[in-house]
Amino acid sequence: MPLHLGDTAPDFTTETSTGPIAFHDWAGDEWVVFFSHPADFTPVCTTELGRVSQLQAEWDKRGVKPIALSVDTNEEHAQWIPDINEYNNTTVEYPIIADPDKKVAELYDMIHPGEGDTSSVRSVFVIDPDKKIRLTMTYPKSTGRNFDEILRVIDALQEADRGECATGVDWQPGDKVIVPPEVPTAEAKEKFDDVEEHYSYLRTARVKADAAGTGAVGCG
Ligand code: BEZ
């Protein structure tokens, strides 16, 4: 079963490099970046897992917990982590799921036979504190991901939730946001600051400093 945006992220129990976890309990009230890599002791993965570790302060700032997965064993993770740390001048502290029986990888549809059926592709799930899936991404085995872009999406999702708005192309924190089409301009002028109407369907604005939205909005 494919997992869709808005679905509840399936719960599971598993072994990880930092001990056994029950996924939902481990996530608690925080956001989660759950990502798979094809295999331990491979070059692209060594760079990716190191980058996620280097970004630990950025995840913390946003209330996000990273967690990785491969179909390797905990013993293999334990032998590989020193290489990640040394090559990337970091210390991996987040858990890496050991999934040799592919139980979790299959639950999250991380095995794509066209890319090989013995290991996972590079999947990413951003999961919010309500355990809803807010972003999915799938990269091929040969291409390393850009985790700065994943941070940017989390910033955009958190701003969209807070302001009940959307964000445009290449949005960065501090940029103006997009007023959802269903909000009339008169209402938008009360709800947002600095509203500009470019077309009837394209209004940009700033989220009020004290906004505290109630959840995800669509844009269509
Ligand atoms: C890598 O991480 O370098 C890699 C893993 C599987 C296939 C291709 C590259």
Side-chain angles (χ1 to χ4, degrees):
M1 270 278 285
L3 293 171
H4 291 152
L5 300 186
D7 288 353
T8 298
D11 199 12
F12 55 85
T13 55
T14 186
E15 294 295 328
T16 82
S17 57
T18 59
I21 62 162
F23 183 56
H24 282 194
D25 289 347
W26 170 84
D29 294 330
E30 300 210 62
W31 290 69
V32 171
V33 173
F34 178 23
F35 66 103
S36 58
H37 64 276
D40 294 359
F41 301 104
T42 55
V44 176
C45 303
T46 303
T47 64
E48 286 192 319
L49 273 82
R51 182 69 184 141
V52 172
S53 176
Q54 291 169 348
L55 290 169
Q56 189 62 56
E58 298 299 321
W59 306 121
D60 290 345
K61 218 189 284 179
R62 295 161 175 82
V64 178
K65 294 168 95 169
I67 185 166
L69 172 147
S70 74
V71 299
D72 298 288
T73 63
N74 250 344
E75 290 69 33
E76 287 163 321
H77 291 339
Q79 287 167 18
W80 180 45
I81 287 169
D83 290 355
I84 305 173
N85 290 343
E86 181 181 62
Y87 182 75
N88 299 284
N89 190 25
T90 191
T91 304
V92 171
E93 287 177 348
Y94 59 84
I96 306 174
I97 293 172
D99 192 35
D101 60 5
K102 305 188 180 72
K103 182 185 77 169
V104 183
E106 282 169 0
L107 184 65
Y108 275 75
D109 196 25
M110 291 167 163
I111 309 243
H112 295 204
E115 285 265 314
D117 56 11
T118 55
S119 60
S120 50
V121 291
R122 299 184 196 280
S123 300
V124 181
F125 293 86
V126 172
I127 299 164
D128 73 15
D130 292 329
K131 312 290 179 289
K132 297 291 180 212
I133 296 172
R134 301 293 298 278
L135 168 83
T136 61
M137 272 178 26
T138 309
Y139 268 45
K141 290 181 176 175
S142 58
T143 306
R145 287 156 287 196
N146 182 336
F147 288 92
D148 292 311
E149 167 62 5
I150 295 168
L151 283 167
R152 189 192 73 85
V153 176
I154 291 168
D155 284 336
L157 288 168
Q158 293 182 346
E159 181 78 339
D161 286 358
R162 192 175 72 83
E164 297 178 350
C165 58
T167 55
V169 61
D170 294 338
W171 180 89
Q172 293 286 346
D175 291 350
K176 292 180 82 171
V177 301
I178 305 253
V179 178
E182 65 272 15
V183 178
T185 297
E187 191 184 318
K189 286 182 174 165
E190 286 171 19
K191 185 169 171 181
F192 295 92
D193 289 334
D194 203 6
V195 175
E196 282 182 276
E197 186 171 79
H198 307 278
Y199 305 105
S200 59
Y201 59 87
L202 172 49
R203 284 87 37 89
T204 55
R206 293 196 184 281
V207 176
K208 286 187 188 289
D210 60 356
T214 53
V217 290
C219 191

